[in-house]
Amino acid sequence: MGSALAGFGFCFALIVAIGAQNAFVLRQGLRREHVLPVVVTCVVADAALVAAGIAGLGAVLTSAPAALAAVRWGGAAFLLGYALLAARRAFRPSSLTPLDLPPATLRATMLACLAMTFLNPHVYLDTVLLMGAVAHDDPSPWVFGAGATAASALWFTGLGLGARKLAPVLSRPAAWRFVDGSIAVVMTAIGVSLAMG
């Protein structure tokens, strides 16, 4: 039980930070569009990445400096690119309200969700390397991983399904300017910290 709670708390602390995946789930929740498939995809992806970290992928990456450098530089480039897009949205009020956009197909939404999840190398650094290392220090690493997966499931479900309650607030361009501006600042900070290494 203690390992599960430790995994839950550790994952929750990592996952709550504003990031590309969270912003995507929030937008889908606000649009009430393909929310359940997006939430399920994010939870299953997190579970797979946590399992990979516990199974030893993190140790393999750590022992291969070239692979670790590629993940680090790729992560920095991805995050800085996403920060640039968020900053652009923040300075262009006409593109701030996702509720006004035409509906997207399930296929396009799922491809975007998978890209936000698996093309973001920062996810590998957090979930595979960091969480894998912490889980290995726990007496029951797989129970720790189960707790982490439960935290992921709770967070993404709450974010996706609870977003509609934020719709009245986030339907104003000024609110999205703040959200996208915050995302741009946080993503830039994380991207720079990855690059500086």
Side-chain angles (χ1 to χ4, degrees):
M1 186 66 171
S3 294
L5 288 174
F8 186 95
F10 188 79
C11 180
F12 211 79
L14 285 179
I15 206 170
V16 168
I18 291 176
Q21 194 180 38
N22 284 342
F24 181 77
V25 174
L26 179 64
R27 283 174 179 268
Q28 290 307 120
L30 286 168
R31 287 169 58 82
R32 300 178 188 184
E33 186 177 76
H34 312 305
V35 179
L36 189 57
V38 165
V39 167
V40 170
T41 300
C42 289
V43 172
V44 170
D46 268 14
L49 291 166
V50 167
I54 294 171
L57 181 60
V60 171
L61 282 176
T62 306
S63 66
L68 198 55
V71 169
R72 183 165 59 90
W73 285 106
F78 177 88
L79 292 167
L80 291 171
Y82 193 80
L84 187 61
L85 291 174
R88 186 175 169 205
R89 286 193 307 267
F91 286 109
R92 294 179 60 188
S94 62
S95 64
L96 288 177
T97 311
L99 304 174
D100 296 339
L101 298 173
T105 64
L106 176 60
R107 182 175 182 275
T109 301
M110 296 314 296
L111 287 174
C113 182
L114 291 170
M116 290 294 169
T117 302
F118 291 111
L119 295 183
N120 177 3
H122 191 259
V123 133
Y124 297 98
L125 294 173
D126 270 358
T127 311
V128 177
L129 292 177
L130 182 57
M131 198 171 303
V134 172
H136 274 285
D137 286 339
D138 191 89
S140 304
W142 290 104
V143 177
F144 182 98
T149 300
S152 174
L154 179 66
W155 172 254
F156 285 122
T157 301
L159 188 62
L161 300 180
R164 65 185 64 190
K165 296 196 180 296
L166 297 174
V169 175
L170 293 175
S171 62
R172 298 192 303 267
W176 276 101
R177 186 187 299 272
F178 175 77
V179 169
D180 282 322
S182 299
I183 289 170
V185 168
V186 171
M187 294 296 100
T188 299
I190 297 171
V192 168
S193 73
L194 272 180
M196 310 250 332

